[in-house]
């Protein structure tokens, strides 16, 4: 494990924003984790875990709490469980994209629709990462974590993680650092049924069809690319944190009104009905590419915020507040931000 002091955190985030870490530990060997525990316990502030930095906004003054950058790797396909599902154990720092590719190569279905989501596997339960009809709650069995309150290693089963729509018991809590995760997947060369019309159209199949795993992932990637939702260093919209806002939950009555106005309103597995945040942002009058604060604008392909030259955390925060205010005023719907504010 390597510990550095005063290291800039901005390059470790996809927004490219944020000051330095007073102390930063990079963990690439899980066996070194006890060393970090000893280091962090002697320092002020609960430790902050950073994966690939694709869902965080780090403050301009940086982070005084010790930061652990999770860089452990490893995937182990284990035996089957009682339900004949294949168990797969993954180290927390393993990139999600690589995991999805490995599962597809192994003919394992359950995560193919998550292709193209940036970040580490360890961060996926934090907001129950999901897209195009699949989410981590579909496959997570448990996570092995360090509990900073109990000061010991614990096994958090999926129920204890309380996974909801882009939320969990872990979100906005620094109590647990996830070290490894266990997933259960089914062996099949075919994907889960395609439930999103855009993905079905890309594949030229009816909604509900099952297609070869790799084809499903390719179609999802194509749809995501069209919205600038795949990180690409040649992309002008690359300084992104994804959606920035959650799709807000709406009542049945409001859902009906929004549907009449043409809004994408979807029912989610946790029983909530939600309207697309990007539709609301557009409806509130923000055009693609529109400037919102100095160095912060709407993406050129999707109604979300991205950073440019001159952006900093204060300005990004100002842009988030401006969008929330205008969306509330023009649509009556309150947006909640999805990203974690650090420092
Ligand atoms: C272009 C783009 C597209 C995206 N598309 C989607 C999408 O379709 N669906 C979706 O759900 N998300 C999406 N996201 C958001 C993001 O990719 C996910 O939230 C991802 O899981 C974050 O992983 P990370 O490793 O970058 O976490 P970070 O951004 O580093 O951290 C996010 C949070 O998780 C915590 N955390 C990280 N690792 C651990 C750990 N090991 N233990 C405990 N806590 C930890 C951090 O403290 C922080 O609170 C997108 C982001 C971008 C930039």
């Amino acid at each position: 494990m390597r510990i550095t002091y005063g290291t800039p955190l901005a390059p470790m985030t996809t927004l490219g924003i944020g000051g330095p870490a007073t102390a930063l530990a990079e963990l690439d060997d899980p066996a070194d984790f006890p060393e970090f525990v000893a280091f962090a316990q002697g320092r002020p502030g609960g430790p902050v875990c950073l994966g690939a930095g694709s869902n965080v906004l780090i403050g301009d003054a940086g982070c005084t709490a010790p930061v652990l950058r999770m860089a452990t790797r490893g995937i182990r396909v284990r035996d089957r469980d009682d339900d004949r599902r294949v168990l797969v154990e993954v180290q927390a720092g393993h990139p999600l994209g690589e995991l999805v590719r490995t599962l597809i190569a192994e003919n394992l279905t359950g995560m193919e629709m998550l292709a193209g989501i940036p970040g580490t596997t360890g961060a996926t339960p934090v907001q129950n990462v999901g897209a195009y009809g699949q989410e981590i709650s579909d496959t997570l069995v448990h996570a092995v974590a360090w509990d900073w309150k109990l000061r010991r290693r614990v096994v958090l089963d999926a129920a204890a993680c309380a996974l909801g729509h882009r939320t969990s018991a872990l979100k906005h809590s620094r109590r647990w650092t996830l070290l490894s995760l266990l997933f259960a997947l089914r062996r099949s060369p075919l994907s889960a049924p395609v439930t999103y019309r855009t993905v079905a159209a890309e594949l030229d199949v009816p909604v509900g069809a099952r297609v070869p795993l790799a084809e499903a992932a390719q179609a999802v990637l194509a749809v995501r690319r069209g919205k600038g939702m795949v990180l690409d260093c040649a992309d002008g919209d690359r300084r992104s944190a994804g959606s920035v806002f959650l799709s807000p939950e709406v009542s049945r009555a409001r859902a009906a009104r929004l549907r009449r106005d043409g809004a994408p309103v979807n029912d989610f597995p946790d029983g909530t009905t939600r309207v697309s945040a990007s539709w609301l942002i557009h409806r509130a009058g923000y055009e693609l590419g529109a400037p919102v604060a100095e160095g912060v604008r709407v993406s050129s392909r999707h109604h979300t915020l991205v950073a440019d030259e001159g952006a900093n955390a204060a300005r990004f925060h100002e842009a988030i507040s401006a969008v929330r205010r205008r969306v509330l005023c023009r649509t009556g719907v309150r947006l909640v931000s999805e990203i974690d504010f650090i420092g």
Side-chain angles (χ1 to χ4, degrees):
M1 189 180 70
R2 207 162 58 93
I3 298 179
T4 54
Y5 298 89
T7 311
L9 290 172
M12 297 179 192
T13 72
T14 53
L15 278 174
I17 288 176
T22 302
L24 170 79
E26 292 222 30
L27 186 77
D28 46 23
D29 182 350
D32 289 345
F33 186 70
E35 201 186 317
F36 177 71
V37 173
F39 174 77
Q41 278 175 352
R43 305 183 75 84
V48 170
C49 189
L50 194 61
S54 64
N55 211 22
V56 293
L57 177 61
I58 294 177
D60 295 318
C63 184
T64 51
V67 178
L68 176 71
R69 192 174 190 213
M70 192 56 85
T72 55
R73 282 173 173 252
I75 300 175
R76 195 159 68 95
V77 179
R78 290 182 7 183
D79 40 356
R80 291 181 181 212
D81 68 1
D82 298 343
D83 200 21
R84 297 173 58 81
R85 295 174 308 174
V86 178
L87 296 175
V88 179
E89 188 186 328
V90 189
Q91 292 301 317
H94 206 98
L96 175 64
E98 283 185 19
L99 172 62
V100 171
R101 282 194 290 278
T102 303
L103 298 177
I104 291 173
E106 293 272 345
N107 274 338
L108 292 172
T109 171
M111 289 200 196
E112 57 280 3
M113 306 297 180
L114 306 185
I117 301 181
T120 55
T121 306
T124 57
V126 174
Q127 68 154 1
N128 186 21
V129 158
Y132 301 104
Q134 281 179 343
E135 49 188 24
I136 284 301
S137 55
D138 300 338
T139 46
L140 183 72
V141 178
H142 70 230
V144 176
W146 180 261
D147 185 327
W148 292 96
K149 190 170 171 195
L150 299 179
R151 295 180 179 210
R152 62 177 169 83
R153 215 170 261 253
V154 293
V155 176
L156 297 173
D157 61 24
C161 294
L163 303 165
H165 179 76
R166 304 299 159 266
T167 190
S168 74
L170 311 156
K171 192 149 182 171
H172 306 307
S173 156
R174 308 247 181 257
R175 176 168 169 183
W176 298 279
T177 296
L178 304 194
L179 302 170
S180 67
L181 301 96
L182 188 70
F183 298 101
L185 297 112
R186 297 213 176 265
R187 198 162 294 281
S188 166
L190 294 182
S191 70
V194 177
T195 54
Y196 272 65
R197 263 194 294 273
T198 46
V199 179
E202 180 66 31
L203 286 159
D204 201 14
V205 297
V207 168
R210 298 178 69 199
V211 298
L213 290 170
E215 287 180 25
Q218 283 309 320
V220 165
L221 281 169
V223 171
R224 293 183 69 94
R225 276 199 195 96
K227 298 200 289 181
M229 288 296 272
V230 176
L231 287 180
D232 175 354
C233 48
D235 186 342
D237 296 323
R238 68 186 172 282
R239 288 179 64 188
S240 151
S243 300
V244 178
F245 299 101
L246 294 169
S247 293
E249 187 177 356
V250 286
S251 67
R252 278 182 190 285
R254 194 187 284 271
R257 278 201 303 278
L258 285 162
R259 279 194 177 111
R260 276 199 298 276
D261 285 350
V265 179
N266 291 305
D267 297 320
F268 283 87
D270 65 352
T272 57
T273 300
R274 294 172 180 276
V275 55
S276 152
S278 59
W279 185 88
L280 292 169
I281 294 169
H282 189 202
R283 186 72 169 191
Y286 289 104
E287 293 303 329
L288 292 175
V292 183
E294 194 183 336
V296 186
R297 63 175 165 83
V298 177
S299 156
S300 64
R301 273 169 296 157
H302 186 49
H303 289 89
T304 187
L305 294 173
V306 295
D308 281 329
E309 194 64 36
N312 62 22
R315 290 170 187 151
F316 206 87
H317 212 277
E318 183 190 320
I320 288 175
S321 304
V323 169
R324 290 188 66 201
R325 268 196 310 276
R326 204 203 281 187
V327 167
L328 180 62
C329 172
R330 304 229 176 140
T331 71
V333 182
R334 195 177 294 276
L335 285 180
V336 174
S337 68
E338 180 189 279
I339 52 185
D340 185 13
F341 301 97
I342 294 179

